[in-house]
Amino acid sequence: MRTQVAIIGAGPAGLLLSHLLHLRGIESIVLESRSREEIEATIRAGVLEQGTMDILDEAGVGERMHREGALHRGIELSFGGQRHRIDLTELTGKAIMVYPQHEVIKDLVAARLSAQGQVLFEVSQVAVHGVETESPSVTFTHRGEPYVIEADFVVGADGFHGVSRPSMPQQEQRQDFQRIYPFGWFGILVESAPSSDELIYAQHERGFALISTRTPTVQRLYFQCDPSDHVDNWSDDRIWAELHARTETNDGWRLKEGRIFQKGIIGMRSFVSTPMQGGRLFLAGDAAHIVPPTGAKGLNLAASDVALLARGFEQFYRQGSQERLHSYTEDALKRIWRAEYFSWTMTRLLHTFADATPFEREMQRAELDNIVASRALATSLAENYVGAF
Ligand code: FAD
Ligand code: DHB
């Protein structure tokens, strides 16, 4: 097989890149280790920034998102028994879209397949070769048969645990930055009407909680937990008791309960691996960086990485210039470090750290009080949240 850009991973980064390249007349093949059914059913992110909506619109895959997604013009911060609204649109002129990642995946897979794009599911033994030459290749197994793709470039969009990052050349010159947090998120899906019109980020001494939504009949809730805990330790009653305790406010508002039909625990880390390119191999999305989910940035960063790469490949194939490709790491990292900073800030601000001193706990509360009292600080939070820059 031969293509221009071989893409490893059919997450949002890989699929979106493949489609953006197709719209620029550039061929690609996407290799995915899981099945189509599995990637279309994996529950992950929910919040899209304006810039991500714009990229999806530009790719011609935004129609269902606008029809079925929910535009949110504010979020609430809950602490000390009170809720405080951050009016995103008044403060920044922008809004965010709540539209689940697996729906974005369905839209992208449908768009790739209807354009006769090549997406190979359930591949195994993916390996990258010759990235320091002008003719790299990818070998893999599909339905028991071995294959080789000869390409001009390889993009590793295979997530945090993929093969691409370990295949980067000059490993000894690479620099990784990491922070692992001493807590995780317990996430549930619930059959009920929404409890709130907007997302609620709740700080509480028992730990953080987040009230999000999926559809008018399905809600997405998270609460801080021990990352080594197990879902079987959490009966539905115990989950509701914890969520009520962390989200109750003095105005009598109460979270709506419903049937819990999915439970999972995720660990939390901040991570950046540099450089994001080596020879003709480029990393995009979670393969290169991870943020804790508190700032809702991961999927949005994946989209902005591949928008940069698409422009770089376009310049290469139209003008023969590698200028944009050469500056990919530098260009992408500007946005990534700011999103890392915001995600870390939100995590620090809203979670309970078991080892925090009483003084540090008061500082955390004072920071929250400052944000809701100061238009300048609230604007800064809102700008970061909507991705205003
Ligand atoms: P992935 O989605 O991980 O896709 C990589 C793909 O590569 C996978 O399909 C995988 O099967 C495949 N793959 C892996 N190894 C191989 C291999 N060797 N060969 C072939 N294929 C391979 N982000 C936000 O922006 N907003 C949010 O609200 C938000 N909330 C989140 C909530 C949770 C609970 C979690 C877990 C994440 C959240 N995120 C959020 C982060 C977001 O989901 C990720 O940042 C996003 O999925 C990154 O996309 P990606 O395409 O880079 O990687
Ligand atoms: C969701 C996830 C997030 O990480 C977040 O900050 C907001 C919403 C969600 O899955 O709905």
Side-chain angles (χ1 to χ4, degrees):
M1 288 185 212
R2 151 106 219 135
T3 193
Q4 291 175 305
V5 182
I7 300 173
I8 306 173
L15 289 168
L16 180 58
L17 176 62
S18 177
H19 205 58
L20 290 173
L21 292 179
H22 162 73
L23 296 171
R24 289 163 169 80
I26 301 167
E27 277 176 22
S28 64
I29 299 176
V30 181
L31 300 176
E32 167 58 49
S33 52
R34 295 184 297 156
S35 68
R36 178 177 178 181
E37 294 68 41
E38 212 181 325
I39 64 164
E40 291 187 345
T42 304
I43 305 297
R44 293 187 76 180
V47 173
L48 309 181
E49 295 173 352
Q50 181 68 53
T52 305
M53 289 186 247
D54 294 345
I55 296 169
L56 293 173
D57 282 335
E58 180 204 327
V61 294
E63 192 264 330
R64 202 164 66 92
M65 166 187 79
H66 288 293
R67 193 158 29 92
E68 295 178 16
L71 209 57
H72 285 221
R73 296 187 172 80
I75 56 169
E76 304 221 30
L77 296 180
S78 166
F79 59 94
Q82 286 187 318
R83 290 215 310 271
H84 307 264
R85 182 162 191 264
I86 305 285
D87 191 327
L88 300 173
T89 304
E90 198 223 336
L91 295 169
T92 69
K94 297 191 179 196
I96 50 124
M97 177 72 83
V98 179
Y99 186 63
Q101 178 167 330
H102 66 279
E103 301 296 346
V104 176
I105 294 280
K106 283 185 203 166
D107 295 342
L108 286 167
V109 170
R112 287 314 299 124
L113 298 183
S114 76
Q116 269 79 52
Q118 274 190 281
V119 185
L120 302 179
F121 295 101
E122 297 177 78
V123 304
S124 58
Q125 293 175 291
V126 175
V128 183
H129 313 273
V131 297
E132 290 185 286
T133 71
E134 290 193 356
S135 46
S137 61
V138 181
T139 53
F140 62 100
T141 302
H142 187 47
R143 297 187 182 137
E145 297 288 326
Y147 291 92
V148 185
I149 302 178
E150 313 279 354
D152 299 331
F153 298 96
V154 179
V155 174
D158 48 354
F160 184 68
H161 301 286
V163 294
S164 303
R165 197 174 59 253
S167 309
M168 288 294 272
Q170 298 172 344
Q171 285 289 333
E172 62 290 347
Q173 285 170 32
R174 299 192 56 72
Q175 193 172 9
D176 289 355
F177 303 84
Q178 172 154 261
R179 165 146 197 195
I180 296 174
Y181 297 89
F183 39 73
W185 277 14
F186 198 114
I188 58 171
L189 282 171
V190 182
E191 254 172 35
S192 79
S195 295
S196 160
D197 290 340
E198 295 178 336
L199 270 56
I200 302 175
Y201 287 81
Q203 185 270 340
H204 191 275
E205 62 194 12
R206 298 185 67 88
F208 170 72
L210 169 58
I211 299 172
S212 182
T213 184
R214 283 294 176 267
T215 68
T217 56
V218 174
Q219 309 313 316
R220 179 71 164 148
L221 311 178
Y222 299 99
F223 59 94
Q224 177 183 348
C225 67
D226 178 341
S228 61
D229 206 340
H230 200 274
V231 289
D232 296 341
N233 294 330
W234 287 84
S235 66
D236 292 5
D237 286 348
R238 185 175 172 213
I239 290 173
W240 288 120
E242 199 57 47
L243 279 167
H244 284 304
R246 295 184 191 191
T247 59
E248 238 150 35
T249 43
N250 300 335
D251 57 7
W253 176 90
R254 236 178 112 79
L255 181 63
K256 287 194 179 74
E257 294 189 17
R259 186 178 73 86
I260 300 174
F261 63 94
Q262 215 235 22
K263 298 178 187 176
I265 292 177
I266 55 156
M268 287 175 56
R269 74 173 77 222
S270 299
F271 174 76
V272 180
S273 183
T274 62
M276 289 167 65
Q277 63 201 98
R280 290 203 163 202
L281 173 60
F282 295 82
L283 301 179
D286 280 13
H289 44 75
I290 297 285
V291 284
T294 331
K297 290 285 169 239
L299 169 58
N300 294 294
L301 282 180
S304 56
D305 284 356
V306 299
L308 283 176
L309 277 178
R311 283 202 289 268
F313 289 127
E314 181 176 28
Q315 189 190 44
F316 175 81
Y317 286 108
R318 291 232 171 116
Q319 298 159 25
S321 162
Q322 293 208 41
E323 200 186 325
R324 283 195 165 147
L325 287 177
H326 282 149
S327 66
Y328 169 65
T329 295
E330 197 186 325
D331 296 343
L333 281 178
K334 282 187 198 134
R335 165 119 218 263
I336 290 161
W337 276 120
R338 294 178 77 171
E340 290 284 349
Y341 170 73
F342 178 64
S343 304
W344 169 78
T345 303
M346 287 286 276
T347 302
R348 206 169 39 92
L349 183 67
L350 294 167
H351 290 74
T352 297
F353 288 78
D355 61 355
T357 62
F359 178 78
E360 284 164 338
R361 285 174 203 268
E362 292 302 327
M363 291 299 98
Q364 186 182 33
R365 172 60 65 82
E367 193 173 346
L368 280 163
D369 281 333
N370 271 346
I371 289 169
V372 299
S374 154
R375 189 178 169 91
L377 292 181
T379 304
S380 169
L381 188 150
E383 284 173 345
N384 278 285
Y385 192 78
V386 301
F389 343 90

